[in-house]
Amino acid sequence: MGASDLQAVVLHRPAKPVATPAPEGRWSIEAIQALLDKPLMELLFEAQTVHRQHFPAGDIELATLLSVKTGGCPENCGYCPQSAEFDTGVKAQKLMEVDEVLRAAQAAKDAGATRFCMGAAWRAPKDRDVEKVAVLVEAVKGLGLQTCATLGMLEPHHARQLKAAGLDYYNHNLDTAPEYYTDIVDTRSYQDRLDTLAHVRGAGISVCCGGIVGMGEAPVHRAGLIAQLANLDPYPESVPINSLVRVPGTPLADSEPIDPFDFVRMIAVARITMPTARVRLSAGRQQMGEAVQALCFMAGANSIFYGDKLLVTGNPDVEADVQLLRKLGLRSHRASTETNPESCQ
């Protein structure tokens, strides 16, 4: 090999990613905005590098979400078809019976899901509601699935009761940055959401908490959302990033869709700022297409909601997800990998 050939090899040697150093204190909005503004390929390279430092390559968690109590919610969240204030065609229903939930959970497990999340459209459940959900949690836990619930705002004793029933995760999203929050909902405060997260943590339940993009927010609000999540102490174990599903009848039905590459950037920055979290590619996947989803996995997403519905909105069906994971060479995550991360199917 001549000198010119050697020079060519050196010039074309792949560069190592320049990792963004984690701050010693809190992530600033400016630091997160700087990440969001990076050239996309550089950002993906960094996010995938961080991802591989903490998770086996190609490991994807499959979670299923069931609406166990649908509609009639008194909140006015502008994105939600289950609000009683909006005419979206969603009819209020009572809490499902245990046998109905068990059938759905068994079907989810048979399809490969390892986590089963139960959602109920309450602002805040009453004591009798939590007692009934605790029975559902115990039943689903008995199938060998991880359990998750999203029931609205919780009091400390509710969180303790759910923990005693075997609840593994509680989902309570921050939705957006605090500065934009009142543009989306005004029937509860941002602090209400933070208080519920504190109650969940205090009970020893793992936190599932993320947000929604594409609700008309400015870029600074997206950075602000990530800052809020990353600066929780500790940050959530699961971070669902949702792309708004625009439902006719809701105030946000005519929102401008987020640019797909901007959504991918949100996934990447969530991965970099919360390196050990399960970053979930959540609502809006049906509108993304396979190529954008593939970029999201490259950006560090390693969890998806799996099944034909997310509460009351559409989701890619199971077979489509199986085919996509196969095309990309990704593997479904077994529950046992929480203690043995190399054991993937």
Side-chain angles (χ1 to χ4, degrees), residues 26 32 174 176-178 190 194 223-232:
R26 295 172 60 85
I32 291 172
L174 292 180
T176 189
Y190 210 79
L194 295 173
L225 168 62
I226 296 292
Q228 287 289 319
L229 294 168
N231 288 326
L232 291 173

Side-chain angles (χ1 to χ4, degrees), residues 27-62:
W27 280 96
S28 69
I29 292 177
E30 293 76 17
I32 291 172
Q33 189 64 62
L35 283 172
L36 288 168
D37 290 341
K38 277 192 171 187
L40 183 59
M41 294 300 106
E42 182 180 337
L43 180 62
L44 289 178
F45 191 18
E46 179 174 345
Q48 181 62 201
T49 301
V50 171
H51 177 71
R52 293 195 181 207
Q53 291 170 352
H54 299 280
F55 291 95
D59 167 52
I60 304 295
E61 176 195 65
L62 304 180

Side-chain angles (χ1 to χ4, degrees), residues 37-337:
D37 290 341
K38 277 192 171 187
L40 183 59
M41 294 300 106
E42 182 180 337
L43 180 62
L44 289 178
F45 191 18
E46 179 174 345
Q48 181 62 201
T49 301
V50 171
H51 177 71
R52 293 195 181 207
Q53 291 170 352
H54 299 280
F55 291 95
D59 167 52
I60 304 295
E61 176 195 65
L62 304 180
T64 293
L65 175 59
L66 175 69
S67 180
V68 296
K69 188 274 176 189
T70 301
C73 181
E75 300 272 27
N76 65 355
C77 305
Y79 52 80
C80 186
Q82 300 200 67
S83 171
E85 292 201 15
F86 314 137
D87 183 10
T88 62
V90 174
K91 303 301 181 184
Q93 300 173 16
K94 65 179 183 178
L95 187 69
M96 293 173 66
E97 298 294 334
V98 177
D99 58 344
E100 295 178 275
V101 174
L102 273 179
R103 283 196 296 270
Q106 185 63 59
K109 182 179 180 180
D110 292 345
T114 57
R115 186 180 302 176
F116 190 76
C117 186
M118 292 163 278
W122 288 311
R123 181 177 189 272
K126 297 178 173 63
D127 289 352
R128 64 175 181 270
D129 299 323
V130 175
E131 290 173 4
K132 293 176 181 178
V133 172
V135 173
L136 298 181
V137 169
E138 289 178 353
V140 172
K141 188 78 171 176
L143 297 178
L145 287 162
Q146 289 183 342
T147 54
C148 178
T150 178
L151 315 172
M153 295 183 289
L154 291 186
E155 295 296 330
H157 69 284
H158 291 152
R160 292 192 296 269
Q161 188 173 357
L162 291 169
K163 172 65 175 178
L167 188 68
D168 297 301
Y169 288 82
Y170 193 80
N171 168 259
H172 200 62
N173 290 335
L174 292 180
D175 290 345
T176 189
E179 297 79 14
Y180 193 62
Y181 187 75
T182 55
D183 288 54
I184 304 302
V185 55
D186 62 15
T187 49
R188 72 169 89 177
S189 71
Y190 210 79
Q191 188 60 50
D192 288 334
R193 291 195 180 263
L194 295 173
D195 289 345
T196 289
L197 294 177
H199 298 157
V200 169
R201 278 283 182 222
I205 300 171
S206 295
V207 168
C208 176
C209 182
I212 308 171
V213 292
M215 299 191 294
E217 74 281 348
V220 68
H221 299 136
R222 295 172 191 163
L225 168 62
I226 296 292
Q228 287 289 319
L229 294 168
N231 288 326
L232 291 173
D233 187 15
Y235 56 73
E237 285 83 0
S238 288
V239 181
I241 304 295
N242 299 273
S243 180
L244 176 68
V245 178
R246 296 172 294 160
V247 179
T250 61
L252 295 176
D254 296 324
S255 297
E256 187 72 22
I258 185 172
D259 183 281
F261 294 130
D262 287 340
F263 184 83
V264 173
R265 289 176 184 278
M266 287 292 291
I267 295 286
V269 175
R271 168 54 63 218
I272 292 167
T273 58
M274 294 170 278
T276 64
R278 283 272 172 188
V279 177
R280 179 172 297 139
L281 179 55
S282 199
R285 282 201 303 126
Q286 195 170 41
Q287 290 76 42
M288 289 178 191
E290 291 186 342
V292 174
Q293 290 185 67
L295 284 175
C296 289
F297 293 130
M298 184 68 187
N302 62 345
S303 178
I304 59 172
F305 271 128
Y306 188 63
D308 62 353
K309 273 192 176 182
L310 291 184
L311 297 179
V312 296
T313 58
N315 197 45
D317 64 29
V318 167
E319 185 57 32
D321 282 333
V322 168
Q323 292 298 327
L324 176 59
L325 296 180
R326 183 174 294 130
K327 288 178 186 179
L328 299 178
L330 302 175
R331 301 179 300 277
S332 60
H333 159 85
R334 289 186 184 273
S336 61
T337 65

